[in-house]
Amino acid sequence: MAGRLEDRVAVVTGGASGIGRATAIRFAEEGADLVVADLSAERGAETVAAVKALGRKAAFVRTDTSQNADCEALADAAAGTFGRIDVLVAAAGISHALYVSGAPTESVQGTRDAAMLINKPVEYWEKVLNVNLTGVMLTDRAIARKMIEGGKGGSIINIASGAAKIPIQGAADYCVSKAGVWMLTKVLALELAAHRIRVNAIGPGFIETPMTASMRSDEDRLRALIASTPIGRLGVPEDIANSALFLASDESSFYTGEILFPDGGLFTG
Ligand code: NAP
């Protein structure tokens, strides 16, 4: 039986880790070829190897998504290697200015007071907005241009967050960047509809990836988080990969400008 993305070409940013990696692998299971984009060539190569082990083609392109030239080079490389781009998942992101995958969140951010907006250095705010919002915009438009040239439409999926609708103290930059991604998704959906390019977003709840490793290592916090999640567990990267698969496939052909919130009910209401 043909896969749900048989012979389509997908670009996944943040594809070297967490949600991006799980999405690349899930797409490959459904027949897609992959372009994996991220900062780390070493971890990107691990995702490429996992995709190839499923019998699909894959390439890594080192990309800093906050840099316009990198995003354009990524789009050129993907279209040049595979001849077209059908799907983009923009998953590259940071939880705060000093975030590096898996690094303890609080210890590098300083005290809770230091994270409050009135005390936060402007450079921290700018870093998060540059990566999480401007980076998604630069990636989306570079890939969209290739989709338009290809003339066959496409599906763009931006990874936002539950924090796009729920404010979190100490994370103003992150919340605002993700709310911006939500609105960016809606505007782009209108602008690209005539080219048969659908643009949707996903707003995950708390997912077991390096981004939440520090939070999960605190047993009391973990217990409280699970207790406040109606479904009774945190999400796993595959939960988000499956949402992305739906939005990438023809099953969602009447969806555009929409956001899905796979969050176990945490942010309901
Ligand atoms: P992750 O495991 O840390 O993956 C994020 C990836 O993005 C890392 O490989 C990271 O590289 C990369 N990255 C960071 N800045 C980049 C840049 N400028 N250019 C290219 N790549 C960059 O975290 P994740 O949980 O999978 O996060 C994926 C997305 O989901 C993010 O947008 C995040 O905000 C969103 N999200 C996550 C959760 C959650 O609970 N995990 C919840 C809601 C939303 P380095 O490690 O080398 O920095």
Side-chain angles (χ1 to χ4, degrees):
M1 201 174 75
R4 290 156 73 190
L5 297 179
E6 201 66 32
D7 293 330
R8 299 206 192 161
V9 176
V11 174
V12 180
T13 73
S17 184
I19 289 169
R21 174 178 285 176
T23 299
I25 292 169
R26 187 72 191 93
F27 282 14
E29 287 170 352
E30 294 293 339
D33 294 326
L34 267 300
V35 177
V36 176
D38 208 306
L39 295 171
S40 163
E42 200 182 334
R43 287 184 293 109
E46 291 169 20
T47 306
V48 165
V51 167
K52 286 183 174 169
L54 291 163
R56 302 306 314 184
K57 295 184 196 126
F60 174 77
V61 181
R62 204 253 167 212
T63 311
D64 177 347
T65 54
S66 67
Q67 301 301 311
N68 189 42
D70 280 20
C71 293
E72 290 183 354
L74 167 65
D76 285 343
T81 304
F82 291 109
R84 62 176 207 284
I85 304 168
D86 302 298
V87 178
L88 165 68
V89 178
I94 53 177
S95 51
H96 58 84
L98 303 178
Y99 176 76
V100 182
S101 300
T105 299
E106 281 83 7
S107 63
V108 291
Q109 199 168 225
T111 63
R112 194 166 178 276
D113 267 359
M116 295 294 154
L117 197 52
I118 52 168
N119 300 321
K120 202 181 281 262
V122 173
E123 311 84 76
Y124 284 18
W125 169 274
E126 288 172 344
K127 173 80 192 285
V128 174
L129 270 288
N130 276 343
V131 175
N132 286 4
L133 179 54
T134 305
V136 172
M137 180 274 291
L138 293 174
T139 314
D140 283 1
R141 68 179 199 163
I143 300 294
R145 287 178 188 136
K146 297 295 179 193
M147 289 174 169
I148 291 168
E149 275 171 36
K152 292 203 161 73
S155 175
I156 293 176
I157 299 144
N158 294 326
I159 306 300
S161 168
K165 65 170 174 173
I166 302 293
I168 301 169
Q169 288 189 58
D173 39 15
Y174 186 78
C175 295
V176 170
S177 72
K178 295 300 188 178
V181 168
W182 188 358
M183 182 51 76
L184 172 75
T185 299
K186 291 191 267 192
V187 174
L188 271 181
L190 297 183
E191 292 188 0
L192 296 174
H195 300 284
R196 292 187 293 130
I197 299 171
R198 299 184 296 108
V199 189
N200 292 290
I202 298 174
F206 288 97
I207 311 300
E208 292 174 1
T209 72
M211 194 173 274
T212 56
S214 152
M215 188 185 298
R216 287 182 287 113
S217 67
D218 177 336
E219 277 184 27
D220 290 340
R221 276 184 85 180
L222 179 61
R223 214 173 296 117
L225 207 50
I226 292 173
S228 59
T229 306
I231 278 184
R233 66 169 174 87
L234 300 193
V236 291
E238 291 72 23
D239 289 318
I240 311 308
N242 281 324
S243 301
L245 174 61
F246 168 67
L247 292 173
S249 75
D250 295 340
E251 294 156 28
S252 60
S253 61
F254 206 46
Y255 280 73
T256 198
E258 194 52 84
I259 185 166
L260 304 180
F261 286 108
D263 60 12
L266 181 66
F267 296 129
T268 299

